[in-house]
Amino acid sequence: MARGVAGFAVLALAPACTAQTITFAHDIAPIVYEHCASCHRPGESGPFPLLTYDDVKKHAAQIATVTKSKFMPPWLPEAGHGDFADENRLTPEQIGKIGEWVAQGTPEGPESEIPPAPKFAEGWSLGTPDLIVEAPKAFTVPPDGTDVYWNFVLSPSITKRRYVRAVEVRPGEKRIVHHANVIIDRSEWGREQEASPGSGFAGMELANRRSVFDPDDGHFLFWRPGGAPYIEPDGLAWTLDPGNDLIVNTHMRPSGKPEQIRPTIGLYFTDKPQSRFPMLLQLEHDSAIKIPPGVRDFPVSDDFKLPMDVDVLSVFAHAHYLATLMEGYATLPDGTRKWLIRIPQWDQSWQSVYRYREPVFLPKGTVISMRYHYDNSAANVRNPNHPPKLVEAGNHATDEMGHLWLQVLPRGTGDHRLELDEALSRHTLEKYPDDYRAHMVLGALLLARTNAQAAVPIVEAAVRINPKEPEARNLLGATLVRVGRVPEAIEQYKAAIALRPDFVNARFNLARALVSSARYPEAIEQYKAILAVYPDDPDVKQGLAQAEEAAKARQR
Ligand code: HEC
């Protein structure tokens, strides 16, 4: 009993002893320099610098408050639910120290012992880029109002294929630009959205569009304040071809005066081509997002079973304003749960891509789950609708979204994206049986994986869903040719051309199908029609010559 009392007395004294020793020089400067200075310095996003004793002292009370509430440093993922590189989180001891220091009247300690303020690279942090690309025109952010979402279309001028190992984004005034996402656009989709060339276009999200035959790009190119550009390891550089555009999708916040924003990006190339092929895998169930006004906990979920072994490299959880709790986890085949991310208090202002310190291995058969929760009541301070109204999925800030993106690298050598894409398309069709695009992707994949027979009903369904879509008719034609149903294929190609007379690809396919049916005069007519527009195309010239030769041979 007596021993117990003595022990208690020692414990109770301990905090008082350490309390005496808390100074800026020894305790606080190292915390602030490591966890705050990247943003709280001139030119960065923080509203004031935190580089000297005076800076920190001036804001001391506020600093104690925002560190205790975990508003600062901004870091959404919960500890113990994914181990992330660049994690910026204070330990409970550090938070305690700051509070104590402020309570003690912010003593400086010996000035000579204050560590040197951290050094940050001036200009490009990775050194001079191999290519600098600037947005063609500035966008003027209005002085006030709600958040602004703007997309800039940047066109890198390159004359040959390049492999990009890093992208550094200089978004413009960092007090205004909250985050930016770079999307590789290989189909001139961005340009089609612009009212005039170089004008850019509005929109919170990009319909991550890609041509149905294009493999995924598989990289997150994300910028957030205080984040460092990421350098891809050898073999993971991504490909940039002449004519590809880069769309910079920015989230901006008015500052009280009009501001001109014109992002610049620096590209860093390597000679080492891509040899490992990650993919961005998305869980979502946007069509289930129909949140009645006043509902405090509206769940949205999705589950996807992995068809192969993968390593997860990074994660991006995304929603608009109403989300509260966001969870992503994996259930391994043996039933154990592996957390991928857990965000207990979503704040879309601080959204980010999080890269795992070590890749997270998920074996084949693992089920990946997304469990998101939304609060559409007036009690949610972030609710953009006053009073709350029915909220559905959409591209505007007053709509909602729920996406869990994972960057995964299939195990084994070679490129396994088609297999993964096939499983994802089938998963999409389970959720959306009438989804045109998923049918097209799956049909094209099956065709590419030489399973034309299985592709026929899938592409037929695409045509049924969207009979006026020439791409679907063309794909069905190609599929029917592969299973030997040439006369029907010819009808589909003709339908595609009737819908879009300048559809060269369909016309070329038609000409070849006509040749294979020995209908030479009709084939010649089609080849000539293409040459009228593309007089120098070698494939078409060769096709025409062969068709004319065959027609003559038959006359002899
Ligand atoms: C990722 C960049 C970033 C980091 C890291 C960061 N801050 Fe901030 N901080 C900001 C931004 C941006 C704001 C303005 C927030 C706003 O207006 O919503 C801010 C605001 C603040 C404020 C004012 C809060 C208020 O209510 O107005 C304080 C105090 C602060 N930060 C302290 C810190 C401290 C202390 C740290 C380190 C422990 C830190 N910050 C780390 C970007 C950062």
Side-chain angles (χ1 to χ4, degrees):
M1 185 70 201
R3 229 179 258 165
V5 170
F8 178 76
V10 170
L11 279 177
L13 279 175
C17 289
T18 49
Q20 271 177 349
T21 61
I22 295 180
T23 61
F24 180 75
H26 285 137
D27 304 280
I28 303 304
I31 299 175
V32 171
Y33 291 171
E34 184 182 346
H35 296 279
C36 320
S38 61
C39 296
H40 286 272
R41 62 189 166 101
E44 291 299 324
S45 63
F48 41 76
L50 292 176
L51 294 173
T52 65
Y53 171 66
D54 288 339
D55 292 342
V56 179
K57 187 182 150 135
K58 206 186 311 175
H59 299 280
Q62 214 183 356
I63 289 172
T65 309
V66 297
T67 50
K68 190 158 177 240
S69 72
K70 305 213 170 113
F71 178 58
M72 288 286 143
W75 186 262
L76 299 179
E78 183 167 307
H81 297 72
D83 183 17
F84 299 111
D86 307 326
E87 183 179 79
N88 190 4
R89 196 202 317 271
L90 299 185
T91 63
E93 293 74 47
Q94 289 172 318
I95 296 169
K97 261 189 195 174
I98 293 173
E100 194 98 356
W101 177 67
V102 174
Q104 287 178 16
T106 66
E108 184 175 12
E111 198 183 333
S112 61
E113 289 172 25
I114 296 175
K119 290 258 178 299
F120 294 96
E122 293 287 323
W124 298 100
S125 65
L126 299 182
T128 308
D130 295 305
L131 183 67
I132 297 173
V133 198
E134 192 178 27
K137 285 187 184 136
F139 173 76
T140 307
V141 181
D144 41 40
T146 53
D147 295 5
V148 177
Y149 297 88
W150 195 257
N151 299 290
F152 299 88
V153 182
L154 280 62
S155 304
S157 76
I158 52 173
T159 51
K160 60 171 187 177
R161 168 169 286 201
R162 295 294 198 166
Y163 303 104
V164 183
R165 69 186 165 90
V167 182
E168 185 163 345
V169 181
R170 293 174 117 186
E173 177 52 64
K174 291 173 190 165
R175 295 296 321 281
I176 308 283
V177 183
H178 233 265
H179 64 259
N181 226 332
V182 180
I183 289 104
I184 308 162
D185 178 11
R186 305 190 191 276
S187 64
E188 301 191 0
W189 177 82
R191 294 185 202 192
E192 288 163 23
Q193 311 307 309
E194 295 185 309
S196 64
S199 66
F201 59 99
M204 190 167 184
E205 314 275 341
L206 297 188
N208 211 1
R209 195 188 89 153
R210 60 194 158 104
S211 141
V212 288
F213 293 102
D214 249 7
D216 247 346
D217 284 311
H219 291 80
F220 291 122
L221 306 173
F222 190 87
W223 177 86
R224 69 175 149 92
Y230 179 72
I231 302 170
E232 299 290 346
D234 283 356
L236 275 168
W238 48 272
T239 305
L240 186 69
D241 283 317
N244 292 167
D245 293 327
L246 297 172
I247 303 177
V248 183
N249 168 242
T250 51
H251 167 203
M252 300 176 281
R253 199 164 268 179
S255 69
K257 60 183 169 66
E259 297 269 1
Q260 299 269 97
I261 297 292
R262 189 175 177 183
T264 304
I265 60 180
L267 299 173
Y268 298 82
F269 300 142
T270 168
D271 293 334
K272 301 207 174 64
Q274 186 167 4
S275 59
R276 295 154 73 207
F277 300 91
M279 213 177 128
L280 301 183
L281 181 159
Q282 187 199 37
L283 274 73
E284 59 81 38
H285 202 178
D286 284 345
S287 73
I289 299 183
K290 290 190 175 60
I291 317 175
V295 169
R296 297 216 58 172
D297 185 9
F298 185 92
V300 175
S301 66
D302 192 18
D303 301 275
F304 174 67
K305 191 171 185 173
L306 278 174
M308 61 182 64
D309 292 354
V310 304
D311 284 304
V312 189
L313 306 182
S314 48
V315 58
F316 179 47
H318 176 69
H320 293 179
Y321 293 90
L322 295 183
T324 51
L325 168 66
M326 297 161 83
E327 297 182 330
Y329 55 82
T331 308
L332 308 193
D334 69 6
T336 52
R337 178 180 287 188
K338 231 183 217 184
W339 279 97
L340 297 169
I341 191 162
R342 186 170 197 274
I343 297 178
Q345 267 188 303
W346 171 250
D347 178 347
Q348 68 96 33
S349 291
W350 301 116
Q351 62 182 286
S352 178
V353 168
Y354 302 101
R355 197 171 296 279
Y356 295 99
R357 216 181 291 272
E358 294 294 332
V360 178
F361 174 59
L362 300 180
K364 176 178 173 170
T366 295
V367 175
I368 301 172
S369 299
M370 165 189 131
R371 297 285 181 271
Y372 286 8
H373 298 261
Y374 297 82
D375 178 350
N376 192 14
S377 71
N380 183 349
V381 292
R382 298 206 176 85
N383 199 328
N385 300 305
H386 311 283
K389 66 172 182 67
L390 174 73
V391 169
E392 300 189 61
N395 182 21
H396 300 288
T398 47
D399 305 324
E400 257 312 324
M401 289 248 156
H403 298 164
L404 177 69
W405 291 91
L406 299 175
Q407 184 193 27
V408 303
L409 187 58
R411 285 225 164 155
T413 52
D415 184 351
H416 297 275
R417 286 176 296 181
L418 292 185
E419 263 169 277
L420 194 51
D421 230 351
E422 181 179 334
L424 280 168
S425 303
R426 289 191 190 281
H427 180 56
T428 303
L429 289 178
E430 284 165 16
K431 288 182 283 186
Y432 308 105
D434 293 329
D435 189 283
Y436 166 73
R437 193 176 162 276
H439 279 99
M440 289 293 282
V441 171
L442 182 56
L445 285 169
L446 291 169
L447 200 59
R449 301 185 64 206
T450 64
N451 195 351
Q453 207 66 49
V456 174
I458 304 288
V459 186
E460 278 175 346
V463 169
R464 219 168 26 241
I465 293 165
N466 226 340
K468 295 233 176 316
E469 188 49 74
E471 291 279 0
R473 300 280 182 176
N474 186 40
L475 184 60
L476 182 55
T479 310
L480 291 170
V481 164
R482 291 274 285 279
V483 295
R485 291 161 62 180
V486 179
E488 290 163 86
I490 288 173
E491 291 317 306
Q492 292 301 331
Y493 290 138
K494 284 186 172 170
I497 296 164
L499 287 163
R500 195 204 294 165
D502 66 352
F503 194 174
V504 173
N505 195 328
R507 217 175 264 284
F508 186 67
N509 288 340
L510 172 60
R512 293 192 352 171
L514 289 166
V515 167
S516 78
S517 307
R519 290 161 66 173
Y520 303 119
E522 288 166 83
I524 290 166
E525 203 182 304
Q526 295 302 332
Y527 280 131
K528 284 186 172 163
I530 304 174
L531 286 174
V533 188
Y534 297 99
D536 299 322
D537 189 294
D539 292 337
V540 180
K541 285 206 284 207
Q542 192 190 5
L544 176 61
Q546 283 167 353
E548 284 174 339
E549 187 64 30
K552 255 188 246 152
R554 197 157 67 169
Q555 276 167 5
R556 283 198 285 268

